[in-house]
């Protein structure tokens, strides 16, 4: 797996996420690649929560029915159940960049809260849609307009946990990530 172009930090064998896998791959050099993460309080939610960081998922609980609804092919569904995705969030006030890494596929979305943007879900379900991310109290909520009805996601923080709730046509998929 190619390493992302980020900063360098010392290795820590205790992490069990993709950065940990990158560390193992780079153990001969005893250094690892870490994103340089920016986090600042946004001007809208005023929660004081730092969204910037690296978040690892200890397991993947995406229901097969949700993957079928999203028209993910059989082989990819089987592989997806085994993945432990990682999210890297960079925040500068109301501008966000969210990288999602896995050993199968990587995904990047960049947006400014309150501004609609064109989103190309290449590598996920290969759909294009119009997306709008807004604050719902201290939650980031995205509504995606496109081929699928009532589609989107919500992110929120509780302590060192990042919660993700994806929804599409009445089905809901929940994931929890731990700050690394």
């Amino acid at each position: 797996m190619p390493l992302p172009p980020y900063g360098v930090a010392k290795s820590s064998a205790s992490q069990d996420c993709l950065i940990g896998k990158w560390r193992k791959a780079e153990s001969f050099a005893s250094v690892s690649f870490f994103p340089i993460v920016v986090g600042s309080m946004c001007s809208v939610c005023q929660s004081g929560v730092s969204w910037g960081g690296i978040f690892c998922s200890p397991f993947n609980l995406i229901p097969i029915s949700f993957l079928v609804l999203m028209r993910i092919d059989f082989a990819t569904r089987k592989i997806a159940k085994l993945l432990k995705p990682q999210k890297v969030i960079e925040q500068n006030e109301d501008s966000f960049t969210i990288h999602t890494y896995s050993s199968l596929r990587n995904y990047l979305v960049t947006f400014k809260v309150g501004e609609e943007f064109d989103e190309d879900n290449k590598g996920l379900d290969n759909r294009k849609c119009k997306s709008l991310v807004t604050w719902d109290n201290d939650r980031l909520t995205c509504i995606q307009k496109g081929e699928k009805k009532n589609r989107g996601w919500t992110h929120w923080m509780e302590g060192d946990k990042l919660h993700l709730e994806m929804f599409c046509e009445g089905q809901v998929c929940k994931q929890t990530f731990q700050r690394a």
Side-chain angles (χ1 to χ4, degrees), residues 7-160:
V8 177
K10 291 258 185 210
S11 178
S12 168
S14 64
Q15 269 186 296
D16 184 25
C17 63
L18 286 181
I19 284 184
K21 290 180 184 176
W22 293 334
R23 285 187 179 133
K24 290 174 188 169
E26 294 296 318
S27 62
F28 65 89
S30 74
V31 294
S32 302
F33 291 82
F34 256 104
I36 299 170
V37 180
V38 177
S40 63
M41 183 171 70
C42 85
S43 60
V44 178
C45 75
Q46 298 295 322
S47 67
V49 173
S50 173
W51 285 78
I54 302 165
F55 300 89
C56 301
S57 176
F59 45 81
N60 196 352
L61 293 177
I62 299 177
I64 293 293
S65 60
F66 193 81
L67 296 172
V68 169
L69 175 68
M70 300 304 292
R71 295 191 188 150
I72 306 297
D73 65 81
F74 178 78
T76 304
R77 288 194 308 262
K78 292 299 182 188
I79 294 168
K81 296 295 289 179
L82 304 173
L83 299 177
K84 295 180 180 182
Q86 173 195 358
K87 288 193 175 285
V88 177
I89 300 177
E90 299 172 47
Q91 176 192 7
N92 185 3
E93 295 183 1
D94 287 338
S95 296
F96 285 81
T97 299
I98 301 176
H99 302 264
T100 304
Y101 297 107
S102 76
S103 53
L104 178 64
R105 293 193 175 117
N106 298 328
Y107 183 69
L108 168 71
V109 63
T110 301
F111 58 88
K112 185 166 184 168
V113 175
E115 292 182 8
E116 189 173 66
F117 62 98
D118 292 319
E119 187 173 3
D120 183 355
N121 292 317
K122 185 167 176 59
L124 299 175
D125 60 2
N126 297 317
R127 297 184 204 295
K128 293 183 181 192
C129 58
K130 290 275 189 189
S131 297
L132 175 64
V133 179
T134 57
W135 286 110
D136 181 12
N137 295 315
D138 290 342
R139 295 177 179 220
L140 281 173
T141 300
C142 178
I143 302 299
Q144 299 171 324
K145 297 176 189 169
E147 185 178 327
K148 296 286 186 176
K149 303 282 186 225
N150 303 317
R151 177 182 169 169
W153 51 260
T154 300
H155 270 108
W156 71 94
M157 299 284 300
E158 287 180 357
D160 280 342

